[in-house]
Amino acid sequence: MVKTNLKTLKIRAQSEIKTAKDLEELNKIFKRYLGKKGELTQVLHSLEKLSRTKRIKIGQEANQLKNFLKIKFDQKAQEIKEKVRKEVEEKEWIDITAPGKKPALGHLHPLTQVKRKTEEIFQAMGFSVVEGPEVETEWYNFDALNIPPEHPARDIWDTFYLKNGLLLRTHTTPVDVRYMEKHNPPLRIITIDRCFRHEATDASHEVNFYQIDGLQVSKNISVANFKATIQEFFRRFFDQEIKIRMRPSYFPFTEPSFEVDMVCLNCGGKGCPACQKTGWMEMMGAGMVHPAVLKNSGLNPKNWQGWAFGMGFDRLCMMKYKINDIRLFYSSDLRFLQQF
Ligand SMILES: [Zn+2]
């Protein structure tokens, strides 16, 4: 009885091992035959009840079968593991000889690049880079800069008024007043930041633009200091000697006031369409800080004097890279941006 059992058990176990699909199934089969309560284990346990001769004979056969099945289980387990490994290899195969893909690296916007370069140059000349709020009070944007409500300059610098009486600043010059209120001269500062104007956009006008504002206040500051500073800035910025000229002008917050032109880099001063055949490019408005502005900033005009300038920053970038349309800076067009 036991003997036939062992034979059929062997055939059954072998075929089950053979068809096992994965390790989990194989493990279940192992338990069924060789586990604590497995069929073969039970045969071995039941030997005690047999006579001595039968016990030895069947015991031997059962142990042989046990060893045989153990080997079969091990082989099958190896087979399954190998199969799984091959499947994974096939799925995750990569060609290590294929050429790599270059990751696309971004870079700073041209305006940011030029802003940093400008700040570096002025910092090297002893200027501090300062900031102020984009949303301003009428006082700082106009009144403190000697532009009372009825002044015609308010029409030229139309802006966006907010419901709470504040406005989007039309220039970075209010930062000068804020700085002078809190710091004692001598002082040298530079601000490069966003400004706003309520006007139609075209190739040289945007509602949103950047302005550089510079200010130096001390005891004996004169126009000569201004001219030297700005000439040195242009020389370092454009990496060449730049000829400039100053023309008398008018601004409410400076007295005397002047416009600063630099020689047209396009034609070298000979005259071309870019400079309207004059050979010069208008770069900035400047002048000696008006005594009223010093007073509004808490400084005594009898003790202190200084110069200030305001320059369209976008314009400076356009000159540097010979760009003819200001709107390109804000269009987010990659064909344009990738050139920098
Ligand atoms: Zn020109």
Side-chain angles (χ1 to χ4, degrees):
M1 186 69 189
V2 175
K3 189 161 185 183
T4 45
N5 269 354
L6 283 180
K7 263 188 188 167
T8 52
L9 193 144
K10 184 179 175 181
I11 294 164
R12 213 156 21 92
Q14 255 186 303
S15 90
E16 279 179 35
I17 292 170
K18 206 175 172 185
T19 54
K21 284 188 193 74
D22 51 37
L23 289 175
E24 200 185 344
E25 200 185 333
L26 191 67
N27 203 29
K28 274 182 192 161
I29 300 165
F30 183 89
K31 274 186 186 160
R32 204 147 58 225
Y33 291 98
L34 297 176
K36 267 185 189 170
K37 287 176 182 170
E39 280 185 50
L40 189 58
T41 316
Q42 271 173 354
V43 170
L44 287 163
H45 281 308
S46 65
L47 288 177
E48 303 162 11
K49 293 167 197 164
L50 301 175
S51 64
R52 191 180 134 81
T53 41
K54 271 192 175 176
R55 192 160 73 219
I56 292 169
K57 191 168 177 288
I58 296 175
Q60 247 178 8
E61 281 175 23
N63 271 319
Q64 271 171 5
L65 180 58
K66 190 181 167 186
N67 290 334
F68 173 79
L69 288 180
K70 270 190 176 168
I71 291 168
K72 286 286 166 195
F73 274 116
D74 282 349
Q75 282 174 347
K76 185 66 184 178
Q78 281 305 318
E79 205 179 283
I80 291 172
K81 280 181 193 163
E82 182 67 12
K83 201 178 132 209
V84 170
R85 195 181 62 80
K86 272 189 181 158
E87 275 172 9
V88 170
E89 258 178 18
E90 245 164 63
K91 222 189 283 171
E92 296 178 359
W93 182 84
I94 49 161
D95 182 359
I96 55 164
T97 62
K101 276 183 199 155
K102 229 183 183 178
L105 288 179
H107 62 75
L108 293 173
H109 190 279
L111 286 178
T112 309
Q113 290 180 31
V114 174
K115 182 173 189 267
R116 292 193 179 175
K117 178 163 182 172
T118 305
E119 287 172 350
E120 259 172 44
I121 295 171
F122 275 101
Q123 277 175 322
M125 293 195 283
F127 284 73
S128 304
V129 177
V130 300
E131 286 181 336
E134 289 178 3
V135 176
E136 263 300 1
T137 62
E138 267 189 61
W139 166 258
Y140 282 112
N141 197 77
F142 291 125
D143 301 82
L145 293 170
N146 211 19
I147 312 170
E150 68 282 1
H151 200 286
R154 288 213 185 189
D155 286 339
I156 308 165
W157 293 327
D158 194 12
T159 183
F160 300 92
Y161 288 85
L162 309 180
K163 279 181 181 163
N164 55 8
L166 298 175
L167 51 85
L168 299 186
R169 66 176 175 200
T170 58
H171 46 183
T172 42
T173 319
V175 179
D176 293 354
V177 178
R178 285 177 176 275
Y179 194 84
M180 284 189 281
E181 278 178 341
K182 291 191 179 134
H183 299 82
N184 289 322
L187 49 87
R188 272 179 283 188
I189 59 165
I190 184 102
T191 306
I192 308 177
D193 248 325
R194 202 189 289 268
C195 304
F196 309 85
R197 295 271 166 95
H198 185 221
E199 61 187 2
T201 62
D202 62 31
S204 52
H205 296 90
E206 257 285 1
V207 289
N208 165 17
F209 59 98
Y210 280 81
Q211 192 187 45
I212 310 181
D213 199 280
L215 172 76
Q216 179 173 20
V217 178
S218 192
K219 287 273 179 206
N220 301 307
I221 292 298
S222 73
V223 177
N225 297 105
F226 167 75
K227 199 180 171 200
T229 305
I230 228 58
Q231 206 145 23
E232 181 61 12
F233 166 69
F234 279 148
R235 193 181 67 76
R236 295 192 197 182
F237 185 82
F238 292 106
D239 293 316
Q240 56 177 290
E241 222 48 68
I242 301 283
K243 221 163 116 184
I244 64 168
R245 73 173 183 188
M246 287 150 73
R247 290 177 290 115
S249 185
Y250 168 78
F251 302 105
F253 36 84
T254 45
E255 181 60 38
S257 306
F258 33 85
E259 301 261 1
V260 181
D261 301 338
M262 63 175 263
V263 75
C264 173
L265 293 181
N266 224 16
C267 60
K270 288 190 193 90
C272 70
C275 57
Q276 277 138 8
K277 307 226 156 108
T278 61
W280 295 95
M281 286 283 203
E282 278 182 38
M283 290 308 287
M284 64 173 83
M288 298 304 290
V289 182
H290 197 288
V293 176
L294 290 172
K295 221 164 138 189
N296 288 336
S297 308
L299 298 180
N300 186 345
K302 282 181 185 145
N303 298 338
W304 303 105
Q305 58 186 36
W307 53 255
F309 74 84
M311 171 165 45
F313 182 63
D314 309 77
R315 174 147 223 184
L316 191 67
C317 299
M318 288 163 83
M319 287 292 281
K320 172 94 177 159
Y321 295 117
K322 300 195 165 64
I323 295 160
N324 53 18
D325 193 328
I326 190 174
R327 290 167 296 190
L328 284 168
F329 286 128
Y330 305 102
S331 64
S332 303
D333 188 336
L334 286 179
R335 288 169 304 178
F336 169 73
L337 294 173
Q338 275 164 355
Q339 295 172 45
F340 298 92

